[in-house]
Amino acid sequence: MYLGYTNGDVGYIPTVAAYTKGGYEVQTTHFYSNLPVAVTTDSAGRVVELSVALLEFLHER
């Protein structure tokens, strides 16, 4: 999942499948984004889950 225009925050959140392949996105993205630790394997799912919940909430209003 790629995010643009995030005001300096993480612009790439690896999927679970990306962690099995390794590479820059999983191993060093946090370093270049000035984060203290790597993004966890469940982060992409959490972003999707919370985004859907927010959209459902806004739709109910």
Side-chain angles (χ1 to χ4, degrees):
M1 181 182 312
Y2 178 81
L3 305 172
Y5 306 105
T6 59
N7 296 325
D9 289 328
V10 174
Y12 178 78
I13 299 173
T15 61
V16 173
Y19 282 90
T20 61
K21 296 176 183 175
Y24 161 81
E25 295 85 358
V26 175
Q27 297 170 345
T28 59
T29 280
H30 69 286
F31 176 76
Y32 296 108
S33 299
N34 295 318
L35 297 174
V37 295
V39 178
T40 63
T41 57
D42 67 337
S43 294
R46 292 174 67 190
V47 168
V48 171
E49 181 182 312
L50 291 171
S51 297
V52 169
L54 177 59
L55 290 170
E56 289 173 345
F57 172 78
L58 292 173
H59 179 71
E60 293 172 359
R61 296 186 143 240

